[in-house]
Structure formats: structure tokens, C-alpha cells
Amino acid sequence: MAKQDELVFLPLGGVGEIGMNLALYGYGPSAHRQWIMVDCGVTFPGPDLPGVDLVLPDIRFLAKERKNLKAIFITHAHEDHYGALADLWPGLNVPVYASGFTAGLLEAKRSYEKSTMVEIPITPFTAGTVVNVGPFSVEGVAVNHSIPEPMSLMIRTPLGNVIHTGDWKIDHEPSLGPLTDEARFRQLGDEGVLALMCDSTNALRDGVSPSEKDVSESLRKIIENAEGRVAITTFSSNVGRIRTVAEAAEAAGREVLLLGSSLKRVVNVSRDLGLLDGIKPFIAEEEYGYIPRENVVVILTGSQGEPRAALAKLSRDEMRNVALAAGDTVVFSSRAIPGNEKAIQDIKNGLVEQGVHIITDSEALVHVSGHPRRNELQKMYELTRPTVVVPVHGEATHLTAHKELAEQSGISTVPRVRNGDVLRLAPGTVEVIDEAPHGRIFKDGTLIGDFDEMGIGDRKKLSYVGHVALNVVIDARFDIIGEPDMVAIGLPVYDDEGDEFEDTLYDAALSAFESIPRARRKDLDLLQESMRRAVRSTANQIWGKKPLVTVFVTKV
């Protein structure tokens, strides 16, 4: 007997954690499901992943299902929703549907990275567009967010309709459109919505998100009242905020300088699409020093404490043509992503030491989130009237708060879902029926692999305990020829008695060698291991730590 068709939801990233959003929708019997993928994002590594450039979702599951994957839909061009596409798409090679802004940023990024990134063909897809792929019919629905051209998705299937909200909020006066299309969401609710997969980022926050118009007014006053230069750092993708700052600067008689390659790429794409029409050209870095301090506004990258970003360099006074001085003002027009607080504080400390005045969202309304608060979530329930609400996009605390809110709002079915859970939406009981392989992989330079393949574990150890390399050459009688070579990296220079630490370890290795009877020195592996253990043991006795030790024994 043939197995029945099922509609399932499978998140591989972004559910139970921040970033790396990647969701799959499957239709058909379990052995022959067809899939579409929504978003393909990255997250950024913390200090626990030394050397790693990006963290990507593990798509082992998709590697096996490649022939059944029909398309990829990108809701918007934030890194946590599209940033992994360039690295993961070549292994999938399926049609990609995205907005013109997303396509423009991908191409700009490819031009910037040159030969390291393949060209991804993008099929234009905007709000109001309907695409039919396999058993799915996908419609884009306009929403407001902190980036141009975001959208939710209405996914129609023979077993019911699903709305995947992506990132959204309700703002009736944004600095840059679109508005969230409440009328269309109500129409979709009339049509019937089986399940609402909904953004949970601000599910802990009561009320309604402030409007971008209020932020614009606050930034305008700050720029008008500042006595020196004003530098404003924000997310480079927030084109509406960039436009707001540029308009306020012009009204105050100030010129605008952009700092940061990602910011410049976004602005170039935005100008090509007409999103910055009416904004006059920005000045070059070389002009900065010739303009009076009270006539300059700088928009720059680095709001998350990135050490190589423009703001971090300014805090260390490392830029050639641009510097800040006592009496200037820096505005953090952004929120701190969890985990970045220490890096951001280090930058603030550097600026304060220079006499720079700092304004954050705790002192003034200089930033609003692009995600819905609790009243907005309830408004979405009211518009769409789903049978099922699935909290997505957030950490465990956000998902749990969202689940409780949905239940309090009268939604009877609110399943608990995390990355890797295969959630059956229809037919029958809504429940988790399986678990798919999931996790994280890492981009390190030009290579991609898992934790062990990238050597991250050993790299972490090296960052804590250093490394000792010892090279020993022995003759036919199994005696040492000359003096062994030892190099210690990342270890203290002196021991507790003031002797050179490397010399102490060297003596320990030679003692271990000499303790082995000549007859047993034929076993080179034994020699290597005995000296390795001696070096680690001696280091531990003196230092309290065991370095990584590599011993080479060569017989001539």
C-alpha cells in the first residue's frame, strides 16, 4: 500500500539559535518528498572559534535530497538569511528566487571577492509574484523590515497553506518602504492558513515597535545640535537609516562620508535601484580633513565591535585620512547582537579615551528593531487566523515566549520545534515525526568543513597552551647526533626560578631519551612518545598547563 502524502517543515538553522536561517518545506510520501528551501544564512564566530570566518548550516540532509530540491527562496538580504548562499549553492545548483536588491548585493559581493565566489543565477521574485515549483505555489507578500524589499511567503500546497513570515514588523511610517501589507495578509487568512511560521526575535518585548520616523527625528536633532563631527554606525544593510542620516546631514548643512566596504557596496546597489534618489554624492576620504568639524557626518561600519571595521580602527586611531577628536560624537544606531557586548565596549572605551561623546539607544531613540513585538505578533494572528503557529527565528527563550503568547491568544496548536526536527503539518496530528542531520559547518579562509576537518579543536588548544616542536636525529648506534632542535611557541619565556622555560623542557626531553635502554631505542615511536610525555609533564609541573607537543625522531 502506497504511503500517503505529507506536508512537513524542517528547519536546519535559525530555530533555537540566532542566525543561519534555513528552512525546508517538504511534500509527498516520506520516501519521495519534494522540497523547497527558504533562506540560506550564516552567523558569525565568537572567540571560541579562533580563525573561523563564517558559521554555516550543515546541509548533509540536502546532499542526499538534492534531486528532490526544487527551488530556493530568499526572503531578504540580511546575512543571517542569505549569507551562506554563495558557499552552499554550488553543491545544490537549483533555481534561486530573490528580490532585485538581494541579487544586486550578491553580485556586488561576488565582484568584491573576485575569483572566490561563483555567479549564482537569480530569478527575480518580489511581493505579489507567484511561482509554481513542484507541488508548491509560492507568493511573495510585502512586509516592513530594516532592509529594502523584504517579503513573507505564502506557500500553497494540496494539504494546506503555510505563511513563512521571514523578518518583519508593522511600521506605518518607515523611512523606506514597503509597508507590511496587512490587507493582503487578511485576504490570505480568508483563503485559509494551516500554519504560520513566525519570527520570534522580539517575543519577550511588550507593545508595538517604535516607528523609524521617530528614529529619524531623533537623529536629526542629534546632528543639528552636535558641536563637532558626528559619526553614526549602523548595520550596513539598513538603507532606510542611511537615507535618514544623509537627509538630516544635508538639512544641517553637513557633508557625508561613508566608511566601510560593505556599506559602500550596499549604497552602490541602492543607488542603482533608485533607493537613494535625491541624496547627493558622498565625499571622499581625502576631502575629510579639509572640511570644518561642524560640517561633517560620517556613516560607518563597526556597530557590532568588528575589530577590522571602520569604527574599531577609529577607536584605535589607525586610519590614515580620518580621525576623531575630543568633542566629536559617535552614535550607535544599532542594537548589540548577543555575544558582541565585550567587543563593542572595547571600542567605546577607546573612543572615550579620545574625548568622544557616545550616544546609544539607552540615551536616545537612535535605533528600532526590525522585528515584531508582542502586540504585532497578535495582530498577525488576527490577520491570518492560522490553525497552527510555529515559533521560529530566535533562541530558546524567544521561542518559548512566543509559544506562550500564541497559546494565550487562542491558538490551540503551537508545537515545540528545534533545528533538525521534521514537523508533520498535515494530514492528521501536528507533531515531530523524525530528526534530520543538522548542525554547523565552518568557513575558514577558502575552505569549508566541520569542526574536526577544519582543525578548530587543536587551534583552540593552541590558543590556550601553545606548541612545542622537537626534532631529534639519531645515528646507527641509536645515539643523538648533535643538538636536538626545539621551538616553543606561545609558552612563557621563563619558569618560576627565572630559568628559560624552553631550556628546562629541552633538558626533560633529553633525560627521557637517555632513560630508555639502547636496545629499546629501535622503537622510534617509543622514543617520540616518551619525549613528548616528558615535555608535557614538565611543563605541567612548572606552569600548570600541558602544551601541544610534536616530536620528530629521524635515524640516519
Side-chain angles (χ1 to χ4, degrees):
M1 180 177 178
K3 291 188 176 181
Q4 65 179 350
D5 287 340
E6 292 179 319
L7 173 62
V8 300
F9 169 65
L10 168 58
L12 293 179
V15 180
E17 62 189 348
I18 293 294
M20 296 199 314
N21 292 279
L22 189 159
L24 299 173
Y25 291 91
Y27 185 88
S30 58
H32 303 286
R33 283 195 186 115
Q34 298 181 69
W35 300 90
I36 58 171
M37 181 168 132
V38 177
D39 290 335
C40 187
V42 299
T43 191
F44 296 94
D48 61 323
L49 296 171
V52 172
D53 298 305
L54 291 174
V55 184
L56 298 82
D58 187 335
I59 59 169
R60 282 174 292 163
F61 175 82
L62 276 177
K64 294 183 179 179
E65 293 289 325
R66 159 67 187 84
K67 65 182 183 299
N68 299 317
L69 180 63
K70 299 302 177 183
I72 300 172
F73 292 85
I74 303 297
T75 61
H76 64 287
H78 274 148
E79 289 291 335
D80 62 329
H81 288 261
Y82 95 121
L85 196 60
D87 292 305
L88 299 184
W89 181 83
L92 301 172
N93 195 23
V94 297
V96 177
Y97 296 88
S99 71
F101 184 75
T102 300
L105 283 190
L106 269 174
E107 180 56 31
K109 186 183 290 190
R110 190 174 76 89
S111 298
Y112 178 75
E113 297 185 7
K114 298 179 180 177
S115 62
T116 62
M117 182 174 164
V118 301
E119 182 176 4
I120 301 174
I122 302 290
T123 300
F125 181 73
T126 57
T129 303
V130 177
V131 172
N132 298 310
V133 286
F136 303 96
S137 178
V138 183
E139 175 186 345
V141 185
V143 291
N144 182 251
H145 187 46
S146 55
I147 194 170
E149 301 178 355
M151 69 189 91
S152 294
L153 303 176
M154 172 66 156
I155 303 170
R156 297 179 175 89
T157 79
L159 288 176
N161 300 335
V162 176
I163 292 178
H164 187 103
T165 68
D167 292 359
W168 65 282
K169 64 178 286 190
I170 296 176
D171 187 343
H172 297 294
E173 296 182 294
S175 56
L176 193 69
L179 297 174
T180 294
D181 194 343
E182 296 179 52
R184 185 57 183 150
F185 278 113
R186 190 175 294 280
Q187 292 170 351
L188 298 179
D190 293 340
E191 181 180 332
V193 175
L194 168 62
L196 176 70
M197 276 58 183
C198 192
D199 181 358
S200 305
T201 310
N202 277 341
L204 290 163
R205 306 189 71 177
D206 289 324
V208 176
S209 304
S211 172
E212 189 69 33
K213 180 182 179 182
D214 298 327
V215 176
S216 300
E217 179 63 20
S218 180
L219 289 173
R220 183 186 65 79
K221 290 180 179 178
I222 290 171
I223 292 171
E224 285 180 351
N225 295 330
E227 295 182 358
R229 306 178 186 93
V230 178
I232 299 177
T233 182
T234 189
F235 297 107
S236 60
S237 57
N238 196 334
V239 178
R241 193 74 51 78
I242 295 168
R243 184 180 184 95
T244 288
V245 173
E247 289 173 339
E250 185 171 356
R254 293 179 180 243
E255 302 289 344
V256 178
L257 169 67
L258 295 182
L259 290 178
S261 57
S262 62
L263 186 63
K264 293 175 181 177
R265 290 199 300 272
V266 168
V267 165
N268 288 339
V269 172
S270 299
R271 285 200 184 278
D272 290 343
L273 295 174
L275 299 173
L276 292 176
D277 285 352
I279 301 299
K280 68 180 187 179
F282 302 123
I283 64 172
E285 286 186 35
E286 293 76 13
E287 300 176 70
Y288 177 85
Y290 298 98
I291 299 175
R293 292 173 57 200
E294 65 274 12
N295 292 339
V296 177
V297 170
V298 182
I299 307 174
L300 70 166
T301 57
S303 66
Q304 298 308 305
E306 303 94 322
R308 291 179 291 178
L311 185 59
K313 292 179 181 178
L314 281 181
S315 74
R316 301 188 297 262
D317 194 20
E318 291 179 353
M319 300 198 76
R320 181 169 53 184
N321 297 315
V322 180
L324 297 175
D328 291 343
T329 299
V330 170
V331 180
F332 282 80
S333 185
S334 58
R335 65 177 177 86
I337 295 173
N340 293 340
E341 295 87 353
K342 176 63 168 60
I344 294 171
Q345 188 59 47
D346 288 344
I347 287 176
K348 290 179 180 177
N349 289 337
L351 294 170
V352 169
E353 288 288 349
Q354 297 178 30
V356 173
H357 177 52
I358 294 174
I359 299 176
T360 69
D361 60 356
S362 62
E363 289 91 39
L365 183 57
V366 294
H367 177 68
V368 290
S369 170
H371 302 273
R373 294 189 183 184
R374 293 168 72 86
N375 286 15
E376 292 160 276
L377 292 171
Q378 290 177 313
K379 181 66 174 180
M380 183 61 79
Y381 308 156
E382 174 194 326
L383 294 172
T384 59
R385 287 147 283 155
T387 302
V388 180
V389 167
V390 181
V392 297
H393 198 300
E395 296 180 348
T397 53
H398 307 123
L399 302 180
T400 300
H402 192 170
K403 174 179 171 66
E404 293 171 352
L405 177 66
E407 291 172 341
Q408 293 165 9
S409 302
I411 308 295
S412 59
T413 306
V414 189
R416 180 190 184 279
V417 178
R418 298 294 186 267
N419 290 335
D421 288 343
V422 181
L423 177 70
R424 182 178 61 207
L425 295 170
T429 304
V430 176
E431 60 182 344
V432 174
I433 59 173
D434 200 358
E435 183 177 9
H438 63 284
R440 296 178 164 204
I441 55 176
F442 306 94
K443 183 171 185 181
D444 184 353
T446 59
L447 302 178
I448 295 175
D450 64 24
F451 189 85
D452 292 330
E453 290 169 341
M454 292 293 98
I456 297 169
D458 284 342
R459 192 179 303 167
K460 289 178 68 174
K461 292 178 184 176
L462 282 169
S463 68
Y464 288 111
V465 298
H467 180 256
V468 178
L470 175 66
N471 183 46
V472 178
V473 180
I474 60 176
D475 60 21
R477 299 182 67 252
F478 302 101
D479 290 323
I480 293 177
I481 301 174
E483 294 187 358
D485 294 317
M486 175 178 281
V487 177
I489 299 175
L491 276 70
V493 176
Y494 301 102
D495 62 21
D496 55 351
E497 295 184 356
D499 297 325
E500 291 197 10
F501 199 10
E502 188 173 315
D503 290 346
T504 304
L505 300 180
Y506 182 93
D507 292 341
L510 290 186
S511 296
F513 178 91
E514 292 168 357
S515 69
I516 299 173
R518 190 186 305 275
R520 298 190 61 195
R521 295 180 189 170
K522 296 179 182 180
D523 187 344
L524 301 188
D525 290 338
L526 173 65
L527 290 176
Q528 289 175 335
E529 182 62 14
S530 296
M531 287 187 283
R532 189 187 74 85
R533 286 178 177 271
V535 170
R536 280 171 57 84
S537 176
T538 301
N540 189 45
Q541 291 172 14
I542 297 171
W543 185 28
K545 295 183 178 182
K546 297 179 180 180
L548 293 177
V549 179
T550 303
V551 179
F552 302 94
V553 178
T554 305
K555 181 176 176 294
V556 295

